[in-house]
């Protein structure tokens, strides 16, 4: 289902929404710090790129002091054409002041320092892969028992799989290398390798540039994921969370024979 507006302990009536009047723009998403922590700083594009099964930090400053008794801070994340909580393509995170994060799901904690809030958002290990739109909202219970909602659209973030976390299905518990770092260097961070080509009597390797960190490769892949007919409906989220299904989806989108994919084969010899 799609979440109703602010189903929390402040009640479920929508309230009066304003366009980010309580926020001092811009929100500091600590892009460099987060990219380094999530080991995505090798990407040429300068957007916030993070990994699931990880924590994102940000800093929010308000035009007034945050009131823990009457204020609720929420982040809303959406990806795909038909975002739905049920299928993992939409998440609403109400940040709590207890400092605890639920590592199995979307969760948030906050630390209050007068008008400045330090936030931590946990991305679950089965989160959908792709480009997310983000909206930040402050819900305030007023003295007359009415509710004011101040909302602000935020820059998009990119969520990738996390081979460094044992919680993600792409984590290699055993493999060809004795050290996990060697495995990561070869299969995740290496952008140059070789392909094997030739015939049975004449064969050998050829240098191949993967270019996965070049701009705009990540954006193009996310575009393919979001515009595939299998992800266009709400239940399409299962294709973006399951990495086996995700690989099949990308593979079929690369072939022009399948739904006008990217690459067209040429076997003419010309």
């Amino acid at each position: 289902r799609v979440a109703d507006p602010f189903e929390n302990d402040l009640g479920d009536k929508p309230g009066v929404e304003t366009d980010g009047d309580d926020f001092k723009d811009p929100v500091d998403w600590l892009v460099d710090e987060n990219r380094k922590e999530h080991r995505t700083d090798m990407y040429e594009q300068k957007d916030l790129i993070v990994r699931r099964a990880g924590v994102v930090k940000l800093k929010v400053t308000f035009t007034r002091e945050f009131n823990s008794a009457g204020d609720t801070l929420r982040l809303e994340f959406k990806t795909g054409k038909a975002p739905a909580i049920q299928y993992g393509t939409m998440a609403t995170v109400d940040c709590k002041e207890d400092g605890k994060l639920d590592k199995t799901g979307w969760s948030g904690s906050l630390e209050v320092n007068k008008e400045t809030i330090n936030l931590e958002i946990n991305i679950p290990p089965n989160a959908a892969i792709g480009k997310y739109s983000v909206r930040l909202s402050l819900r305030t219970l007023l003295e007359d028992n009415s509710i004011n909602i101040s909302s602000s659209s935020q820059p998009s973030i990119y969520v990738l799989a996390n081979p460094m976390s044992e919680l993600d299905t792409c984590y290699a518990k055993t493999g060809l290398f004795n050290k996990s770092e060697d495995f990561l260097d070869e299969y995740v961070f290496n952008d140059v390798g070789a392909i094997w080509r030739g015939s049975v009597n004449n064969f050998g390797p050829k240098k191949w540039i993967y270019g996965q960190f070049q701009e705009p490769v990540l954006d193009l892949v996310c575009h393919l994921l979001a515009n595939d007919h299998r992800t266009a409906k709400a239940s399409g989220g299962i294709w973006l969370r399951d990495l086996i299904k995700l690989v099949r989806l990308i593979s079929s989108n690369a072939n022009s024979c399948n739904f006008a994919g990217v690459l067209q084969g040429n076997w003419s010899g010309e």
Side-chain angles (χ1 to χ4, degrees):
R1 67 181 179 88
V2 177
D4 295 324
F6 291 98
E7 291 181 343
N8 58 26
D9 51 5
L10 288 186
D12 58 2
K13 62 180 181 179
V16 178
E17 187 161 355
T18 59
D19 191 16
D21 293 342
D22 289 324
F23 299 108
K24 281 186 178 179
D25 288 330
V27 172
D28 188 355
W29 281 87
L30 305 173
V31 174
D32 291 341
E33 178 182 336
N34 282 310
R35 283 169 59 107
K36 185 176 181 180
E37 180 68 24
H38 288 252
R39 301 183 73 171
T40 59
D41 48 340
M42 69 288 294
Y43 281 89
E44 288 184 358
Q45 68 183 80
K46 301 307 179 184
D47 303 279
L48 179 55
I49 306 169
V50 296
R51 299 185 187 275
R52 62 188 193 178
V55 174
V56 180
K57 298 178 180 179
L58 62 148
K59 185 178 293 185
V60 182
T61 304
F62 299 100
T63 56
R64 59 172 176 81
E65 287 193 18
F66 184 85
N67 181 1
S68 301
D71 290 330
T72 300
L73 195 61
R74 167 173 285 189
L75 281 156
E76 182 179 73
F77 300 88
K78 294 181 179 179
T79 188
K81 289 190 172 181
I85 288 178
Q86 179 181 358
Y87 295 103
T89 48
M90 177 179 175
T92 55
V93 181
D94 288 331
C95 300
K96 300 179 179 180
E97 205 174 347
D98 57 9
K100 297 179 181 179
L101 291 173
D102 177 8
K103 296 295 185 179
T104 64
W106 289 92
S107 61
S109 68
L110 59 84
E111 180 184 65
V112 180
N113 183 13
K114 294 184 179 181
E115 69 273 11
T116 300
I117 305 293
N118 295 314
L119 289 171
E120 290 189 347
I121 306 297
N122 183 74
I123 304 175
N126 63 344
I129 304 298
K131 181 180 181 180
Y132 284 74
S133 64
V134 184
R135 190 163 185 83
L136 176 66
S137 300
L138 178 69
R139 180 180 174 88
T140 302
L141 181 63
L142 304 178
E143 291 182 354
D144 61 0
N145 209 34
S146 64
I147 296 172
N148 180 75
I149 302 172
S150 181
S151 298
S152 173
S153 294
Q154 298 297 310
S156 298
I157 70 169
Y158 297 75
V159 175
L160 310 181
N162 191 350
M164 282 76 71
S165 172
E166 295 184 11
L167 299 176
D168 203 322
T169 55
C170 63
Y171 179 78
K173 297 180 180 178
T174 59
L176 301 175
F177 305 98
N178 293 326
K179 296 181 179 179
S180 60
E181 199 65 28
D182 292 337
F183 181 89
L184 295 173
D185 286 342
E186 177 66 21
Y187 290 103
V188 179
F189 302 124
N190 192 5
D191 60 351
V192 178
I195 60 171
W196 203 258
R197 66 173 189 169
S199 62
V200 65
N201 295 318
N202 184 19
F203 51 83
K206 174 180 174 59
K207 182 179 180 180
W208 197 261
I209 299 175
Y210 306 135
Q212 71 269 33
F213 304 127
Q214 295 179 2
E215 194 172 11
V217 172
L218 179 58
D219 241 348
L220 291 174
V221 172
C222 290
H223 175 79
L224 293 175
L225 294 178
N227 287 276
D228 186 274
H229 71 286
R230 286 159 289 192
T231 63
K233 50 189 177 182
S235 61
I238 61 175
W239 287 88
L240 301 175
R241 302 173 73 184
D242 185 321
L243 296 184
I244 295 176
K245 293 181 181 295
L246 186 79
V247 170
R248 291 175 177 171
L249 193 152
I250 294 175
S251 177
S252 66
N253 272 277
N255 189 345
S256 65
C257 298
N258 298 321
F259 314 107
V262 177
L263 302 175
Q264 182 173 355
N266 180 5
W267 313 108
S268 65
E270 299 178 0

